[in-house]
Amino acid sequence: MSLNEKIPFLDLITPHRELEQELTTVFQRVLQTAGFVGGPMVESFENEFAAFCDAKYCVGVANGTDAVRFGLIAAGVQPGDIVVTVPHTFIATTEAISQAGARLDFVDIDEQTYSMDVAKLREYLERECYIDRESGKPYHRRYRAPVTAIVPVHLYGQCADMDPILELARRYNLIVVEDACQAHGAEYFSQKEGRWRKAGSMGHAAAFSFYPGKNLGACGEAGAVTTNNEEMARKMRMLRDHGQAKKYYHNIEGYNGRLDALQAGLLSVKLRHLAEWNRQRQEAAARYHQMLSSTDGVIAPHCPSWSRPVYHLYVVRVADREGLQKHLADAKIDTGIHYPIPLHLQKAYETFGYRKGDFPVTERVASEILSLPMYPQLQSAAQSHVVQKIQEFASVGALR
Ligand SMILES: Cc1ncc(COP(=O)(O)O)c(C=O)c1O
C-alpha cells in the first residue's frame, strides 16, 4: 500500500460493493411485495439467526437498545429493581436498564479481559446486599431494593466469563441478559458443560445490535433478542409490537420496536458471510498480535483459553493514548476510543452520586485504550503500516 493512503477505522463500502447485487434484489423484492414491517423475511432471518447463535428463538427488534430492554422486561425485571452491569460499556446498556424501569448499578471490570470482574460481582452480592427472608432475594443494603438481574457485556467481541456469572445468578436467583451487541458469533468454553457455547445462548436472553458497523450490520437500524425460553420469546414479540397478541388485541402496553422487513432481508444475505468475516477478523487480530509482540509499552488484547473472540474491535492499551492517537492521525490512520468516559462519571448519571475512584480499573482502562483499524477486509500491508507507526512512536520512549 502507498504511504499516502488513508487507513480507515472501518470499511463499510467494500462488503456492500461485493454484495451489491444480492442486496439490491432484496430491496426489489420488498418493493414488489410492499411488506415493509414484519412478515416472512423477518421470520426467515429470525430462524437463521437463532440457528447461528445456537438459541431456540430469535425476536427481531428495532435496535440493540430495545433488545436489552425487551430482554430484561420479558425475563421479569420490575420497576424499582436493581440491575447490575459494568461501567465500561456503551451507554445503551444502562439506558435499556433505566428504560425497563430499573435502577442501574455497577461492578468493576477485570483488568485483562475488560469484561465484568466476577470476584467483584460476588463481593457486591455478599457485602453490599443481604438476603431478604420473605422473598429470598438479595436486597441492596443502601438502596433498599432487590437486585434481580445482571447484564454482562461481551465487549469488543469477547464473551464475559459466563460460567461463574451463571453460577452466581443461580445461587442468588438472578436474571442474566447477555449484552451481545458487539459479539455476533463469539464463543465461550464452559468448563461446567465441557463445550463451547455461542454468545446469545447462555443467559435467559441475549441482545444483539445490527448497527451498520457491527460484525453483522444492517443498512440502517436493527437488533434482535435470542432466548431458549418460549414464553419469553412470546412476550418479546408482544413487547416489540405495542403489546399485541393479535391485531388490535393489546394484552399489555408495549413499544414500537419492530424489525423492518428490508433490514431483515439484507441481514439474511449478510449472515451467510458472517462466519467468514469473523474468521478474517480473527486472522487480522492474530497478525496485529504477532506484529505488536515485540513493541514495549503496548498491551495487546488478552484472550483467555476459554474465549474465541470475534474482534468487533481490536483495542490496545498504552500510557500516552492521546499522543499515540495523534501520531497515528498525522499518518492518516483512523482510530477510536471505546469508551473514553466511564459510565459512572457521565453527566447523565450525576444524580446517582458515583465518584471518581469508585471503579478504578474501568477508570484506568478508559484513559489508556485505543481501538486500531479492524474489519474483515483489512490488509496485512495496512496493518504493518499501523504497527510501524506505533513502533516509531514507541521508539522515542513516548509510550511509557
Ligand atoms: C455494548 C452495546 N450495547 C448496546 C448497544 C445498543 O445497540 P443499538 O445502537 O443498536 O441500539 C450497542 C451498540 O452500539 C453496544 O455496543
Side-chain angles (χ1 to χ4, degrees), residues 136-164:
K137 285 182 183 168
Y139 263 67
H140 197 279
R141 292 181 196 282
R142 218 153 15 105
Y143 308 138
R144 302 251 149 219
V147 177
T148 60
I150 317 168
V151 182
V153 182
H154 304 327
L155 202 71
Y156 306 154
Q158 172 153 279
C159 287
D161 190 1
M162 291 302 287
D163 267 358

mmCIF file of all heavy atoms in Angstrom, residues 136-164:
data_model
loop_
_atom_site.group_PDB
_atom_site.id
_atom_site.type_symbol
_atom_site.label_atom_id
_atom_site.label_comp_id
_atom_site.label_asym_id
_atom_site.label_seq_id
_atom_site.Cartn_x
_atom_site.Cartn_y
_atom_site.Cartn_z
ATOM 1 N N GLY A 136 -36.483 -14.153 49.701
ATOM 2 C CA GLY A 136 -35.268 -14.924 49.392
ATOM 3 C C GLY A 136 -34.358 -14.209 48.401
ATOM 4 O O GLY A 136 -33.366 -14.758 47.935
ATOM 5 N N LYS A 137 -34.704 -12.940 48.073
ATOM 6 C CA LYS A 137 -33.923 -12.202 47.063
ATOM 7 C C LYS A 137 -32.822 -11.377 47.724
ATOM 8 O O LYS A 137 -32.992 -10.917 48.867
ATOM 9 C CB LYS A 137 -34.833 -11.214 46.309
ATOM 10 C CG LYS A 137 -35.746 -11.869 45.324
ATOM 11 C CD LYS A 137 -36.558 -10.809 44.617
ATOM 12 C CE LYS A 137 -37.547 -11.426 43.659
ATOM 13 N NZ LYS A 137 -38.521 -10.451 43.179
ATOM 14 N N PRO A 138 -31.714 -11.131 46.996
ATOM 15 C CA PRO A 138 -30.719 -10.202 47.540
ATOM 16 C C PRO A 138 -31.265 -8.766 47.501
ATOM 17 O O PRO A 138 -31.804 -8.340 46.478
ATOM 18 C CB PRO A 138 -29.516 -10.357 46.609
ATOM 19 C CG PRO A 138 -30.035 -10.983 45.369
ATOM 20 C CD PRO A 138 -31.329 -11.674 45.681
ATOM 21 N N TYR A 139 -31.175 -8.077 48.611
ATOM 22 C CA TYR A 139 -31.580 -6.667 48.689
ATOM 23 C C TYR A 139 -30.351 -5.812 48.900
ATOM 24 O O TYR A 139 -29.495 -6.154 49.715
ATOM 25 C CB TYR A 139 -32.549 -6.444 49.860
ATOM 26 C CG TYR A 139 -33.987 -6.448 49.425
ATOM 27 C CD1 TYR A 139 -34.574 -7.618 48.947
ATOM 28 C CD2 TYR A 139 -34.758 -5.281 49.476
ATOM 29 C CE1 TYR A 139 -35.893 -7.619 48.525
ATOM 30 C CE2 TYR A 139 -36.071 -5.282 49.056
ATOM 31 C CZ TYR A 139 -36.636 -6.454 48.578
ATOM 32 O OH TYR A 139 -37.932 -6.458 48.153
ATOM 33 N N HIS A 140 -30.260 -4.724 48.189
ATOM 34 C CA HIS A 140 -29.125 -3.827 48.390
ATOM 35 C C HIS A 140 -29.311 -3.085 49.717
ATOM 36 O O HIS A 140 -30.384 -2.518 49.966
ATOM 37 C CB HIS A 140 -29.027 -2.835 47.224
ATOM 38 C CG HIS A 140 -27.695 -2.168 47.156
ATOM 39 N ND1 HIS A 140 -27.354 -1.094 47.938
ATOM 40 C CD2 HIS A 140 -26.593 -2.467 46.417
ATOM 41 C CE1 HIS A 140 -26.109 -0.731 47.672
ATOM 42 N NE2 HIS A 140 -25.621 -1.561 46.756
ATOM 43 N N ARG A 141 -28.278 -3.125 50.552
ATOM 44 C CA ARG A 141 -28.412 -2.535 51.894
ATOM 45 C C ARG A 141 -28.742 -1.058 51.837
ATOM 46 O O ARG A 141 -29.579 -0.559 52.585
ATOM 47 C CB ARG A 141 -27.101 -2.690 52.677
ATOM 48 C CG ARG A 141 -26.783 -4.107 53.038
ATOM 49 C CD ARG A 141 -25.488 -4.201 53.838
ATOM 50 N NE ARG A 141 -25.026 -5.579 53.834
ATOM 51 C CZ ARG A 141 -25.540 -6.537 54.597
ATOM 52 N NH1 ARG A 141 -26.492 -6.265 55.460
ATOM 53 N NH2 ARG A 141 -25.080 -7.776 54.506
ATOM 54 N N ARG A 142 -28.039 -0.312 50.942
ATOM 55 C CA ARG A 142 -28.211 1.134 50.911
ATOM 56 C C ARG A 142 -29.451 1.549 50.121
ATOM 57 O O ARG A 142 -30.209 2.423 50.538
ATOM 58 C CB ARG A 142 -26.969 1.779 50.285
ATOM 59 C CG ARG A 142 -26.583 3.068 50.945
ATOM 60 C CD ARG A 142 -25.100 3.423 50.848
ATOM 61 N NE ARG A 142 -24.324 2.687 49.894
ATOM 62 C CZ ARG A 142 -23.905 3.182 48.720
ATOM 63 N NH1 ARG A 142 -24.244 4.412 48.368
ATOM 64 N NH2 ARG A 142 -23.167 2.453 47.908
ATOM 65 N N TYR A 143 -29.661 0.911 48.989
ATOM 66 C CA TYR A 143 -30.777 1.337 48.123
ATOM 67 C C TYR A 143 -32.110 0.713 48.537
ATOM 68 O O TYR A 143 -33.162 1.085 48.023
ATOM 69 C CB TYR A 143 -30.483 1.006 46.655
ATOM 70 C CG TYR A 143 -29.147 1.502 46.163
ATOM 71 C CD1 TYR A 143 -28.349 0.709 45.348
ATOM 72 C CD2 TYR A 143 -28.665 2.769 46.520
ATOM 73 C CE1 TYR A 143 -27.114 1.151 44.895
ATOM 74 C CE2 TYR A 143 -27.430 3.212 46.071
ATOM 75 C CZ TYR A 143 -26.659 2.404 45.264
ATOM 76 O OH TYR A 143 -25.443 2.830 44.823
ATOM 77 N N ARG A 144 -32.058 -0.253 49.434
ATOM 78 C CA ARG A 144 -33.288 -0.917 49.925
ATOM 79 C C ARG A 144 -34.168 -1.389 48.772
ATOM 80 O O ARG A 144 -35.382 -1.139 48.740
ATOM 81 C CB ARG A 144 -34.089 0.036 50.814
ATOM 82 C CG ARG A 144 -33.350 0.553 51.986
ATOM 83 C CD ARG A 144 -33.865 -0.043 53.273
ATOM 84 N NE ARG A 144 -32.788 -0.143 54.241
ATOM 85 C CZ ARG A 144 -32.605 -1.142 55.072
ATOM 86 N NH1 ARG A 144 -33.415 -2.162 55.060
ATOM 87 N NH2 ARG A 144 -31.619 -1.153 55.931
ATOM 88 N N ALA A 145 -33.553 -2.027 47.821
ATOM 89 C CA ALA A 145 -34.302 -2.548 46.668
ATOM 90 C C ALA A 145 -33.693 -3.888 46.264
ATOM 91 O O ALA A 145 -32.512 -4.136 46.525
ATOM 92 C CB ALA A 145 -34.217 -1.556 45.507
ATOM 93 N N PRO A 146 -34.498 -4.745 45.642
ATOM 94 C CA PRO A 146 -33.976 -6.066 45.267
ATOM 95 C C PRO A 146 -33.074 -6.001 44.034
ATOM 96 O O PRO A 146 -33.365 -5.277 43.083
ATOM 97 C CB PRO A 146 -35.244 -6.863 44.945
ATOM 98 C CG PRO A 146 -36.246 -5.839 44.541
ATOM 99 C CD PRO A 146 -35.928 -4.572 45.287
ATOM 100 N N VAL A 147 -32.002 -6.764 44.085
ATOM 101 C CA VAL A 147 -31.157 -6.937 42.884
ATOM 102 C C VAL A 147 -31.739 -8.142 42.147
ATOM 103 O O VAL A 147 -31.794 -9.244 42.698
ATOM 104 C CB VAL A 147 -29.691 -7.218 43.278
ATOM 105 C CG1 VAL A 147 -28.847 -7.476 42.030
ATOM 106 C CG2 VAL A 147 -29.120 -6.072 44.089
ATOM 107 N N THR A 148 -32.204 -7.927 40.923
ATOM 108 C CA THR A 148 -32.896 -9.034 40.242
ATOM 109 C C THR A 148 -32.217 -9.494 38.955
ATOM 110 O O THR A 148 -32.560 -10.541 38.434
ATOM 111 C CB THR A 148 -34.356 -8.660 39.900
ATOM 112 O OG1 THR A 148 -34.334 -7.516 39.050
ATOM 113 C CG2 THR A 148 -35.165 -8.371 41.151
ATOM 114 N N ALA A 149 -31.295 -8.691 38.431
ATOM 115 C CA ALA A 149 -30.706 -9.089 37.141
ATOM 116 C C ALA A 149 -29.270 -8.607 36.985
ATOM 117 O O ALA A 149 -28.856 -7.630 37.615
ATOM 118 C CB ALA A 149 -31.555 -8.548 35.989
ATOM 119 N N ILE A 150 -28.545 -9.334 36.137
ATOM 120 C CA ILE A 150 -27.180 -8.951 35.767
ATOM 121 C C ILE A 150 -27.133 -8.819 34.253
ATOM 122 O O ILE A 150 -27.716 -9.645 33.540
ATOM 123 C CB ILE A 150 -26.149 -10.050 36.123
ATOM 124 C CG1 ILE A 150 -26.403 -10.639 37.505
ATOM 125 C CG2 ILE A 150 -24.721 -9.541 36.029
ATOM 126 C CD1 ILE A 150 -25.583 -11.900 37.749
ATOM 127 N N VAL A 151 -26.413 -7.801 33.780
ATOM 128 C CA VAL A 151 -26.176 -7.692 32.337
ATOM 129 C C VAL A 151 -24.664 -7.740 32.088
ATOM 130 O O VAL A 151 -23.986 -6.718 32.145
ATOM 131 C CB VAL A 151 -26.772 -6.392 31.744
ATOM 132 C CG1 VAL A 151 -26.531 -6.348 30.225
ATOM 133 C CG2 VAL A 151 -28.262 -6.280 32.035
ATOM 134 N N PRO A 152 -24.124 -8.941 31.845
ATOM 135 C CA PRO A 152 -22.713 -9.000 31.447
ATOM 136 C C PRO A 152 -22.591 -8.532 30.003
ATOM 137 O O PRO A 152 -23.462 -8.838 29.186
ATOM 138 C CB PRO A 152 -22.355 -10.492 31.565
ATOM 139 C CG PRO A 152 -23.636 -11.230 31.679
ATOM 140 C CD PRO A 152 -24.761 -10.271 31.864
ATOM 141 N N VAL A 153 -21.547 -7.770 29.710
ATOM 142 C CA VAL A 153 -21.378 -7.242 28.350
ATOM 143 C C VAL A 153 -20.215 -7.972 27.678
ATOM 144 O O VAL A 153 -19.112 -8.012 28.218
ATOM 145 C CB VAL A 153 -21.088 -5.721 28.393
ATOM 146 C CG1 VAL A 153 -20.952 -5.163 26.979
ATOM 147 C CG2 VAL A 153 -22.185 -4.986 29.164
ATOM 148 N N HIS A 154 -20.492 -8.558 26.517
ATOM 149 C CA HIS A 154 -19.429 -9.243 25.754
ATOM 150 C C HIS A 154 -18.705 -8.179 24.911
ATOM 151 O O HIS A 154 -18.890 -8.083 23.695
ATOM 152 C CB HIS A 154 -20.018 -10.323 24.850
ATOM 153 C CG HIS A 154 -20.843 -11.359 25.572
ATOM 154 N ND1 HIS A 154 -20.576 -11.781 26.851
ATOM 155 C CD2 HIS A 154 -21.935 -12.068 25.163
ATOM 156 C CE1 HIS A 154 -21.458 -12.711 27.201
ATOM 157 N NE2 HIS A 154 -22.285 -12.886 26.201
ATOM 158 N N LEU A 155 -17.910 -7.378 25.578
ATOM 159 C CA LEU A 155 -17.340 -6.182 24.949
ATOM 160 C C LEU A 155 -16.260 -6.511 23.922
ATOM 161 O O LEU A 155 -15.471 -7.437 24.127
ATOM 162 C CB LEU A 155 -16.760 -5.287 26.054
ATOM 163 C CG LEU A 155 -16.597 -3.826 25.683
ATOM 164 C CD1 LEU A 155 -17.948 -3.129 25.561
ATOM 165 C CD2 LEU A 155 -15.734 -3.091 26.705
ATOM 166 N N TYR A 156 -16.216 -5.726 22.891
ATOM 167 C CA TYR A 156 -15.215 -5.811 21.807
ATOM 168 C C TYR A 156 -15.286 -7.147 21.046
ATOM 169 O O TYR A 156 -14.375 -7.487 20.306
ATOM 170 C CB TYR A 156 -13.783 -5.652 22.347
ATOM 171 C CG TYR A 156 -13.511 -4.411 23.166
ATOM 172 C CD1 TYR A 156 -12.494 -4.398 24.126
ATOM 173 C CD2 TYR A 156 -14.239 -3.245 22.980
ATOM 174 C CE1 TYR A 156 -12.207 -3.273 24.866
ATOM 175 C CE2 TYR A 156 -13.973 -2.104 23.725
ATOM 176 C CZ TYR A 156 -12.955 -2.126 24.669
ATOM 177 O OH TYR A 156 -12.681 -0.998 25.404
ATOM 178 N N GLY A 157 -16.328 -7.955 21.304
ATOM 179 C CA GLY A 157 -16.431 -9.243 20.609
ATOM 180 C C GLY A 157 -15.917 -10.410 21.416
ATOM 181 O O GLY A 157 -15.724 -11.498 20.873
ATOM 182 N N GLN A 158 -15.667 -10.192 22.708
ATOM 183 C CA GLN A 158 -15.199 -11.291 23.566
ATOM 184 C C GLN A 158 -16.206 -11.533 24.694
ATOM 185 O O GLN A 158 -16.604 -10.593 25.387
ATOM 186 C CB GLN A 158 -13.840 -10.942 24.165
ATOM 187 C CG GLN A 158 -13.378 -11.934 25.225
ATOM 188 C CD GLN A 158 -11.863 -11.997 25.326
ATOM 189 O OE1 GLN A 158 -11.203 -12.656 24.537
ATOM 190 N NE2 GLN A 158 -11.317 -11.280 26.286
ATOM 191 N N CYS A 159 -16.584 -12.806 24.878
ATOM 192 C CA CYS A 159 -17.574 -13.129 25.906
ATOM 193 C C CYS A 159 -17.045 -12.823 27.300
ATOM 194 O O CYS A 159 -15.846 -12.994 27.573
ATOM 195 C CB CYS A 159 -17.927 -14.615 25.855
ATOM 196 S SG CYS A 159 -18.944 -15.052 24.439
ATOM 197 N N ALA A 160 -17.946 -12.409 28.172
ATOM 198 C CA ALA A 160 -17.616 -12.314 29.600
ATOM 199 C C ALA A 160 -17.450 -13.740 30.133
ATOM 200 O O ALA A 160 -17.868 -14.704 29.477
ATOM 201 C CB ALA A 160 -18.740 -11.591 30.323
ATOM 202 N N ASP A 161 -16.854 -13.865 31.307
ATOM 203 C CA ASP A 161 -16.592 -15.194 31.885
ATOM 204 C C ASP A 161 -17.910 -15.749 32.446
ATOM 205 O O ASP A 161 -18.253 -15.557 33.614
ATOM 206 C CB ASP A 161 -15.529 -15.043 32.990
ATOM 207 C CG ASP A 161 -15.018 -16.387 33.475
ATOM 208 O OD1 ASP A 161 -15.463 -17.416 32.945
ATOM 209 O OD2 ASP A 161 -14.179 -16.385 34.393
ATOM 210 N N MET A 162 -18.652 -16.458 31.577
ATOM 211 C CA MET A 162 -20.049 -16.759 31.877
ATOM 212 C C MET A 162 -20.274 -17.853 32.920
ATOM 213 O O MET A 162 -21.255 -17.794 33.661
ATOM 214 C CB MET A 162 -20.806 -17.090 30.586
ATOM 215 C CG MET A 162 -20.999 -15.912 29.659
ATOM 216 S SD MET A 162 -21.878 -14.528 30.413
ATOM 217 C CE MET A 162 -23.547 -15.157 30.478
ATOM 218 N N ASP A 163 -19.413 -18.864 33.004
ATOM 219 C CA ASP A 163 -19.658 -19.955 33.978
ATOM 220 C C ASP A 163 -19.868 -19.408 35.396
ATOM 221 O O ASP A 163 -20.911 -19.671 36.004
ATOM 222 C CB ASP A 163 -18.488 -20.958 33.984
ATOM 223 C CG ASP A 163 -18.726 -22.127 33.023
ATOM 224 O OD1 ASP A 163 -19.794 -22.174 32.384
ATOM 225 O OD2 ASP A 163 -17.825 -22.989 32.919
ATOM 226 N N PRO A 164 -18.887 -18.657 35.934
ATOM 227 C CA PRO A 164 -19.085 -18.162 37.305
ATOM 228 C C PRO A 164 -20.211 -17.127 37.423
ATOM 229 O O PRO A 164 -20.856 -17.033 38.467
ATOM 230 C CB PRO A 164 -17.734 -17.557 37.686
ATOM 231 C CG PRO A 164 -16.972 -17.413 36.433
ATOM 232 C CD PRO A 164 -17.523 -18.381 35.446
#
